[in-house]
Each structure stands twice: as structure tokens, then as C-alpha cells.
Amino acid sequence: MSATDTGVASESAVRAVEEFLYHEADLLDSRRYEEWLALYTDDAIYWIPQGDEPDHVHHVSIAYDDHRRLHERVLRLASGFAFSQDPPSRTCHVVGNVRVAGEIDGDLDVRSNLVLAEMRRGVQSVYAGQVTHQLVPTGGSFMVRRKTIRLINSDIPLSNLTFLI
Amino acid sequence: MTLMSDPAALITNDWRIHGSVYTDPEIFALEKDRLFHGPWLYVAHESEVREPGDYKTTYAGTQPVIVARGADDGELRVLLNRCRHRGSMVCQDESGNANYFRCPYHGWTYRNSGELRGITYDDGYAGLEREQLGLVRMPRVQSFAGFVFASFAEDGPSLEDYLGNAKPYLEIVSQQGPGGIRLSAGSHRLTYKGNWKLQVENTIDNYHFGFVHRSFLEVLADRIGEVPPIVKNILQNPEWRTIDLGNGHSVHEFGDPHTGNNQGQLGDLPFNLIVFPNLCFVGAQLRHILPRAADRTEVRLYPILHEGESDEDNAAILRVHEGFYGPAGMGGVDDIEVAFDRVHAGMEATEQDWLIMSRGAHREQPGEDGTLIGHAADEVPQRAFYRQWRKLMGGAQ
């Protein structure tokens, strides 16, 4: 990454990050989950906190998945017996407000906003929130070491977040 | 409907249950009056309201309440969360610590013990009896093994008599950690369009596990490298058994209730327990079922953390819990889909409007203290629940 003294990433670096986030969103919306999982490092964490509580050790999360758990989710969704995704959710991810906030141990600290429309069994729902990606540069593209999805409705009673976000 | 005059007739002696038990708003209104206005209702665990002034908001059955530990005397009270003036909720936060609750509508102020402390601009009232206008208190509040229950009935059986054969199981839950337990991790909140009793019935229902949770069994097989033993145990292990504990309570044991386990990576409680009408224990969680309407239910799942164990060990409890339960869980949402949402949709077909709840009725065996024991996948817990339901809802037995 090349950054100026003001901490703002170069236009080309931001564009590369945006392309990557759009690619991830496209894989999710087309339910190409194995290809999606291949974007994640072996030590990846996929976290959907509940409420404003930032602590996954002392507070229950909607999901705090390591790579093993993500693999299990993908396996389950492909099993043909995941009834909560039968029929599957149709989703439309819209990713915006993308910026590179800085670096974490050589990884990029990327912030974005997500608006996600989901349609399942005749009901359309909208989820939205702030997303952070910790991206590992891999020579031309990236891998995800950590994704945190802070949904604005994470602490109300929910029914079904068994699709991947 | 004619059956309404005798709700007991909605359950036949050969264990058919009429669909209206799940769908009829009039039945729900009767339940509010007869199930949720008399007996003991779970409201909190003492770990949630430890210090003077601590409070949490929740529901006692169907009514919003504040569970508050007196700032002055340390006593636990359960107060209806409704201003006596014009009805606004006086407390919005899930939990906190406060000496007073102040209604935001017109500024009436209550002590956390419920007494009305202040009426704003009170020269506008002639003859209001302020000492009569505290937040309404539930007349009885008692704890057992750290679990706090309240009753709308001034008189009636003591909490211990009401819990009866469920008491030893609650004690075991309370001793899960070396220093006890605490509910300090918050709760998963779920909602579904369907009747609250569907969630109770599904809490101990080993019959469904191999079907609804087939995808989770495939996950487990991948995780442990062999066919998980759950279904085999359900069908063949004589130590896995269902027990009608009386008073509507029931349990499913995975062997010895002190040491058994479900071998299924759902959480480490050695049994599933239902405390009538709406408190359950399953996996590693306390499950509080909140009926909101005949066709709308909220469920709160509180992971049970172990006092005296490390943060790391308690975080592991949370991760196992999240793997199956909660809105992104790989198991519980399949229950919402199949056992609640699709049941609610299917029961719009009303030509033969009866459910069959007789599985294993012919092989229930009497146990000690009036209990009835059945096979792991028998509908013993469901019948335990509906025996009490029928009794409280009135009519002939």
C-alpha cells in the first residue's frame, strides 16, 4: 500500500480494495460459498457482534467464527438439508463508503458500509451496518484475515441470519 | 367456537391436540389470564441483579416488568414497567443500576422499590392517594438456587412446592461452575411468527433431531471424523430418557444428571429441562420464552457462564452455543424454519385440525414421586406440559 503523509491511501490502492470488496459481495450474492471461503486466511475470524458490546470473550456474539466454523457453515449450506436456507435467501449486497483507515501489522484496515437486501419466503428484509476488513495484500489482490460486521439491528430479536454476510 | 367454553376439550384423552390451541387469539387471551397470571413465572437469575440498585427489564409471562434489587434494603422486587399515570414504560434499558425510575412522559418519579416519590406540578391534583400509586408490585417474589420467580397470585403453593421434582435439576444447573453460574454474557434474541408453545414443545423433542438437524449432524461428522452418536443414543441408549416431573415440568436426561452429556457439542448441560410454563434449559443456555401474541413469540437465550473458570473456558462456552443457537446458529434456526414457521403455515389447513401427541403414551412407566418415564424420543415432555395446561385452563380432566 502506498499512503501519503496524511494517512490517506492512494487512489489506486483504494480502487484495488473496492474491487476486492465488490468481488466478495458478488460471490456472496451468487452463493459461490466455497470460492468465497477461499478468500479467507487459515487464521481468519468472521465476527458479527451483538449490540454495541465489542467484547467477544465476555459477551455472546451472533457469530464469532474461525476458519473451521466457516468451513462448517459452507458445508452445511451445501448439504441440501439446511432447512433455514431452503429456499435460500436471495441477497443483494451494496458496499459503499469504502476507505482505507490504516495498516495493522502490514495488513490493510479497511472500513465500509453495507446495505444488504435479503428476500426469502416472500419476505424482503434490509440489513445494514459498518464493516471492517483486515486485508492481507497478496500481490495484486487480497485475502481476508478478519471481517467484522456491525449490524445496526444486531440487538433486536432476529429470525434468520443463516446466510453469509 | 363451542370448544372455547371448555378449553380442556381441546386435548383428547388419546392425546390429540386441537389446532386452535396454537392459533386462536381467544385461547391466547385465556392463557394470559390462567397460565401467566397465577403460577410462578421465571424473571431473572440473581447474578443479573447482584448489587443494591441493580435492575433488569424483562417480561413476567406476557407483562413487562422491572426486576430490581432495592437500593436501600437489597430486597428483590418485581415491578410492572408501567407508569401509574398514563401508562408509559418507566424503564427502557435492558439492565442497569438506579435509585429511581422517572417516567419520561410527565416526569412522575418512583423509587426503585416502586413507591411513587414525586408527581410533577402536583397542585393539579386534588386527593390523589400517592401511597396507593407506586409501580404495581408482583405480590410474591422468591428464589430457588439463584433463579428468581414471581407470581401474580397473593396466595398459592410456595415456589419450592411448585418446582417440586424440578428442584434437583435446577440445583445441578446452578452448580455448573466451581463457584456457581452467572448470566453475564447477554442473550441471543429470536423472534418467530408462531405460537409460543411450539418452542416449548421443541425444547425436549429428540424425535426431530435426526430430521430437522440433519445438516448439523453432517457438520458434526465432519468435525469429529465419524458418524456422531446422537441419533443412535436417542433410539437405543436406555439412559437417555424423558421424564414427566409433574406440575407441567419435564426433563430429558443424557444419563446421570450429575455427569451425563449430550456428546453432541451443543453445550454441556447434562439434561434438557422445561419448567412450566416458559423457562427451559438446553445446551448451555437458559431459554426464556416470551409469548407476545397467539402467532408471535420472542425467545431469549442466555448462555450460562461458569463462575470460577477462566475467561478462555467461558468464551469456549459462548462459541459452542453460537455454533448451534442464535440467529446465525447452525441448528436453532432450522427449528424456527421447520418446527415453528412451517407449522404455523401448515396449520392454516383446518379440515382435520388435530395434532397427534401420543408418541410413547403406551410405554410410560411410573417413577418415584409421581413421575412418568419414557423413551428418549417419546412425547413425554409434551404431555407433561399439556396435562398442566389442561388443568390450569380449566374444564373437565
mmCIF file of all heavy atoms in Angstrom, chain A residues 77-93:
data_model
loop_
_atom_site.group_PDB
_atom_site.id
_atom_site.type_symbol
_atom_site.label_atom_id
_atom_site.label_comp_id
_atom_site.label_asym_id
_atom_site.label_seq_id
_atom_site.Cartn_x
_atom_site.Cartn_y
_atom_site.Cartn_z
ATOM 1 N N LEU A 77 -24.435 -25.392 4.306
ATOM 2 C CA LEU A 77 -25.280 -24.751 3.287
ATOM 3 C C LEU A 77 -25.322 -25.572 2.007
ATOM 4 O O LEU A 77 -26.288 -25.505 1.251
ATOM 5 C CB LEU A 77 -24.775 -23.324 3.012
ATOM 6 C CG LEU A 77 -25.004 -22.351 4.177
ATOM 7 C CD1 LEU A 77 -24.231 -21.055 3.955
ATOM 8 C CD2 LEU A 77 -26.496 -22.053 4.351
ATOM 9 N N ALA A 78 -24.264 -26.362 1.769
ATOM 10 C CA ALA A 78 -24.223 -27.189 0.562
ATOM 11 C C ALA A 78 -24.832 -28.572 0.791
ATOM 12 O O ALA A 78 -24.926 -29.369 -0.139
ATOM 13 C CB ALA A 78 -22.769 -27.340 0.099
ATOM 14 N N SER A 79 -25.257 -28.862 2.038
ATOM 15 C CA SER A 79 -25.655 -30.231 2.367
ATOM 16 C C SER A 79 -26.996 -30.637 1.773
ATOM 17 O O SER A 79 -27.299 -31.815 1.663
ATOM 18 C CB SER A 79 -25.719 -30.403 3.891
ATOM 19 O OG SER A 79 -26.845 -29.702 4.414
ATOM 20 N N GLY A 80 -27.804 -29.645 1.422
ATOM 21 C CA GLY A 80 -29.154 -29.963 0.961
ATOM 22 C C GLY A 80 -30.147 -30.141 2.100
ATOM 23 O O GLY A 80 -31.337 -30.364 1.852
ATOM 24 N N PHE A 81 -29.677 -30.027 3.345
ATOM 25 C CA PHE A 81 -30.568 -30.223 4.498
ATOM 26 C C PHE A 81 -30.573 -29.033 5.446
ATOM 27 O O PHE A 81 -31.022 -29.158 6.584
ATOM 28 C CB PHE A 81 -30.195 -31.502 5.240
ATOM 29 C CG PHE A 81 -30.363 -32.732 4.395
ATOM 30 C CD1 PHE A 81 -29.275 -33.304 3.763
ATOM 31 C CD2 PHE A 81 -31.624 -33.270 4.180
ATOM 32 C CE1 PHE A 81 -29.434 -34.423 2.950
ATOM 33 C CE2 PHE A 81 -31.788 -34.385 3.374
ATOM 34 C CZ PHE A 81 -30.696 -34.966 2.753
ATOM 35 N N ALA A 82 -30.052 -27.914 4.986
ATOM 36 C CA ALA A 82 -30.068 -26.704 5.812
ATOM 37 C C ALA A 82 -31.417 -26.022 5.580
ATOM 38 O O ALA A 82 -31.568 -25.145 4.732
ATOM 39 C CB ALA A 82 -28.908 -25.787 5.444
ATOM 40 N N PHE A 83 -32.419 -26.448 6.355
ATOM 41 C CA PHE A 83 -33.796 -26.027 6.078
ATOM 42 C C PHE A 83 -33.992 -24.520 6.214
ATOM 43 O O PHE A 83 -34.836 -23.948 5.535
ATOM 44 C CB PHE A 83 -34.751 -26.777 7.005
ATOM 45 C CG PHE A 83 -34.716 -28.259 6.789
ATOM 46 C CD1 PHE A 83 -34.146 -29.102 7.722
ATOM 47 C CD2 PHE A 83 -35.224 -28.805 5.617
ATOM 48 C CE1 PHE A 83 -34.102 -30.469 7.511
ATOM 49 C CE2 PHE A 83 -35.184 -30.169 5.400
ATOM 50 C CZ PHE A 83 -34.616 -31.005 6.346
ATOM 51 N N SER A 84 -33.218 -23.892 7.075
ATOM 52 C CA SER A 84 -33.364 -22.438 7.223
ATOM 53 C C SER A 84 -32.868 -21.697 5.982
ATOM 54 O O SER A 84 -33.090 -20.488 5.851
ATOM 55 C CB SER A 84 -32.601 -21.954 8.463
ATOM 56 O OG SER A 84 -31.236 -22.333 8.373
ATOM 57 N N GLN A 85 -32.197 -22.407 5.075
ATOM 58 C CA GLN A 85 -31.822 -21.824 3.785
ATOM 59 C C GLN A 85 -32.425 -22.652 2.643
ATOM 60 O O GLN A 85 -31.827 -22.801 1.583
ATOM 61 C CB GLN A 85 -30.311 -21.712 3.664
ATOM 62 C CG GLN A 85 -29.739 -20.541 4.459
ATOM 63 C CD GLN A 85 -30.245 -19.203 3.943
ATOM 64 O OE1 GLN A 85 -30.100 -18.875 2.765
ATOM 65 N NE2 GLN A 85 -30.861 -18.419 4.809
ATOM 66 N N ASP A 86 -33.607 -23.187 2.877
ATOM 67 C CA ASP A 86 -34.342 -23.923 1.853
ATOM 68 C C ASP A 86 -35.762 -23.392 1.807
ATOM 69 O O ASP A 86 -36.582 -23.777 2.631
ATOM 70 C CB ASP A 86 -34.332 -25.420 2.172
ATOM 71 C CG ASP A 86 -35.189 -26.218 1.178
ATOM 72 O OD1 ASP A 86 -35.457 -25.690 0.078
ATOM 73 O OD2 ASP A 86 -35.591 -27.340 1.526
ATOM 74 N N PRO A 87 -36.082 -22.490 0.910
ATOM 75 C CA PRO A 87 -35.233 -21.976 -0.161
ATOM 76 C C PRO A 87 -34.155 -21.038 0.377
ATOM 77 O O PRO A 87 -34.322 -20.478 1.459
ATOM 78 C CB PRO A 87 -36.225 -21.196 -1.032
ATOM 79 C CG PRO A 87 -37.271 -20.744 -0.077
ATOM 80 C CD PRO A 87 -37.415 -21.860 0.924
ATOM 81 N N PRO A 88 -33.086 -20.856 -0.406
ATOM 82 C CA PRO A 88 -32.023 -19.963 0.077
ATOM 83 C C PRO A 88 -32.445 -18.498 0.042
ATOM 84 O O PRO A 88 -33.332 -18.109 -0.713
ATOM 85 C CB PRO A 88 -30.878 -20.224 -0.904
ATOM 86 C CG PRO A 88 -31.519 -20.755 -2.129
ATOM 87 C CD PRO A 88 -32.772 -21.471 -1.695
ATOM 88 N N SER A 89 -31.799 -17.718 0.879
ATOM 89 C CA SER A 89 -32.008 -16.268 0.833
ATOM 90 C C SER A 89 -31.424 -15.722 -0.459
ATOM 91 O O SER A 89 -30.297 -16.052 -0.824
ATOM 92 C CB SER A 89 -31.297 -15.607 2.016
ATOM 93 O OG SER A 89 -31.835 -16.021 3.245
ATOM 94 N N ARG A 90 -32.208 -14.896 -1.144
ATOM 95 C CA ARG A 90 -31.625 -14.096 -2.230
ATOM 96 C C ARG A 90 -31.086 -12.825 -1.595
ATOM 97 O O ARG A 90 -31.798 -12.177 -0.833
ATOM 98 C CB ARG A 90 -32.690 -13.716 -3.255
ATOM 99 C CG ARG A 90 -33.240 -14.869 -4.032
ATOM 100 C CD ARG A 90 -34.284 -14.339 -5.009
ATOM 101 N NE ARG A 90 -35.184 -15.405 -5.424
ATOM 102 C CZ ARG A 90 -36.461 -15.205 -5.748
ATOM 103 N NH1 ARG A 90 -36.983 -13.993 -5.700
ATOM 104 N NH2 ARG A 90 -37.201 -16.229 -6.109
ATOM 105 N N THR A 91 -29.855 -12.503 -1.904
ATOM 106 C CA THR A 91 -29.282 -11.311 -1.281
ATOM 107 C C THR A 91 -28.740 -10.347 -2.328
ATOM 108 O O THR A 91 -28.397 -10.739 -3.449
ATOM 109 C CB THR A 91 -28.127 -11.658 -0.313
ATOM 110 O OG1 THR A 91 -27.063 -12.272 -1.043
ATOM 111 C CG2 THR A 91 -28.601 -12.579 0.793
ATOM 112 N N CYS A 92 -28.696 -9.078 -1.933
ATOM 113 C CA CYS A 92 -28.083 -8.040 -2.764
ATOM 114 C C CYS A 92 -27.248 -7.162 -1.836
ATOM 115 O O CYS A 92 -27.788 -6.391 -1.049
ATOM 116 C CB CYS A 92 -29.164 -7.225 -3.473
ATOM 117 S SG CYS A 92 -28.517 -5.874 -4.452
ATOM 118 N N HIS A 93 -25.941 -7.359 -1.886
ATOM 119 C CA HIS A 93 -25.019 -6.550 -1.083
ATOM 120 C C HIS A 93 -24.709 -5.261 -1.830
ATOM 121 O O HIS A 93 -24.333 -5.306 -3.002
ATOM 122 C CB HIS A 93 -23.688 -7.273 -0.885
ATOM 123 C CG HIS A 93 -23.717 -8.427 0.072
ATOM 124 N ND1 HIS A 93 -24.398 -9.609 -0.162
ATOM 125 C CD2 HIS A 93 -23.114 -8.581 1.295
ATOM 126 C CE1 HIS A 93 -24.206 -10.435 0.865
ATOM 127 N NE2 HIS A 93 -23.436 -9.849 1.758
#
